[in-house]
Amino acid sequence: MKKFCLLMILALSSLLFGQVKDEYKNAKLLKGTYTQIVSQKGRSFESSGDFIVAGGYGICWITKLPKESITVMGEKNVVQILPNGKKKIMADSGNAMFSQIANIIKSIFTYDEKAILESFNQSKENNVTVYTPKTEELKKIIEKIEVGFAKEGYIEKIKMYSSNNSTTEYIMKVLSKSNTLTSEEIKYFEEE
């Protein structure tokens, strides 16, 4: 269950669609920095680093603080790579729920809002887009997801409210966009 919840948090905290400007939607590669804040039971934990969103591959979180690690989210599985090179599969496609989440992930990375709206209702609250799960299965894990946009047109903030009263928030800044991936960038996803 912990692996599933972590996968859900990672997957759904990566919602990159909706009001995103075409120049970001059409980019094959987005790179930037992120800060993640997880709050539960009155305590907060923060981590930060860089991210890579690669069209057709997935997303790679390169955590720098408090401990170095790399988490690669692709269509087959979610893999964590520790500084010593050891790989740990956090979830894989053998799990039926993972298959549903993988479809959500794919939809997010390809900015397929139609597909994501099959699982979530969408509404607006002030300047934030709010997504609430449609199925009882997802409602057991997620209460809602709030997505805020930077004036430049990319997703700047994502906050997920879990049904266990914890929150996970990502604050992101896109630093570059490109229509090509280098062989070095593709290597992250070959680790998957």
Side-chain angles (χ1 to χ4, degrees):
M1 185 65 175
K2 283 183 180 180
K3 287 181 183 178
F4 171 73
C5 288
L6 178 59
L7 172 64
M8 203 60 182
I9 289 168
L10 289 171
L12 294 173
S13 60
S14 301
L15 291 175
L16 296 171
F17 61 91
Q19 299 176 15
V20 176
K21 286 186 179 176
D22 285 342
E23 63 187 283
Y24 294 98
K25 284 183 187 180
N26 296 331
K28 299 284 185 216
L29 179 71
L30 296 176
K31 290 176 155 182
T33 61
Y34 78 93
T35 300
Q36 177 193 42
I37 304 163
V38 177
S39 299
Q40 54 185 224
K41 298 180 182 178
R43 297 176 59 187
S44 290
F45 306 92
E46 186 173 311
S47 59
S48 60
D50 299 325
F51 69 86
I52 298 171
V53 176
Y57 291 94
I59 189 166
C60 181
W61 301 99
I62 304 164
T63 304
K64 295 181 177 179
L65 296 171
K67 288 186 168 185
E68 290 185 7
S69 71
I70 298 171
T71 302
V72 180
M73 299 173 55
E75 289 191 29
K76 295 179 191 170
N77 55 31
V78 177
V79 175
Q80 185 176 39
I81 305 165
L82 301 173
N84 63 4
K86 184 177 177 185
K87 297 175 194 171
K88 178 180 173 184
I89 296 178
M90 298 168 65
D92 65 34
S93 58
N95 179 322
M97 182 54 76
F98 179 82
S99 295
Q100 179 185 3
I101 294 166
N103 187 44
I104 291 169
I105 292 169
K106 183 179 176 188
S107 301
I108 293 164
F109 294 140
T110 59
Y111 302 100
D112 186 350
E113 189 168 17
K114 180 182 174 195
I116 198 70
L117 290 176
E118 290 175 6
S119 298
F120 294 89
N121 293 310
Q122 178 182 5
S123 63
K124 293 277 190 185
E125 292 179 11
N126 300 320
N127 207 13
V128 174
T129 301
V130 179
Y131 297 94
T132 53
K134 290 181 177 179
T135 67
E136 291 304 315
E137 194 171 85
L138 286 176
K139 287 178 184 177
K140 290 177 185 176
I141 298 163
I142 302 166
E143 181 183 323
K144 68 178 177 177
I145 300 166
E146 297 176 340
V147 181
F149 300 87
K151 63 182 179 188
E152 294 85 358
Y154 58 83
I155 290 178
E156 178 177 55
K157 188 183 279 192
I158 298 167
K159 188 169 186 177
M160 187 178 86
Y161 296 79
S162 298
S163 47
N164 68 359
N165 295 320
S166 66
T167 61
T168 301
E169 182 175 17
Y170 280 84
I171 302 162
M172 300 179 294
K173 180 173 180 70
V174 172
L175 300 176
S176 67
K177 55 189 180 303
S178 172
N179 287 324
T180 59
L181 279 77
T182 66
S183 57
E184 187 66 31
E185 291 156 347
I186 292 172
K187 281 184 185 178
Y188 283 118
F189 301 98
E190 291 172 347
E191 298 287 339
E192 174 192 21

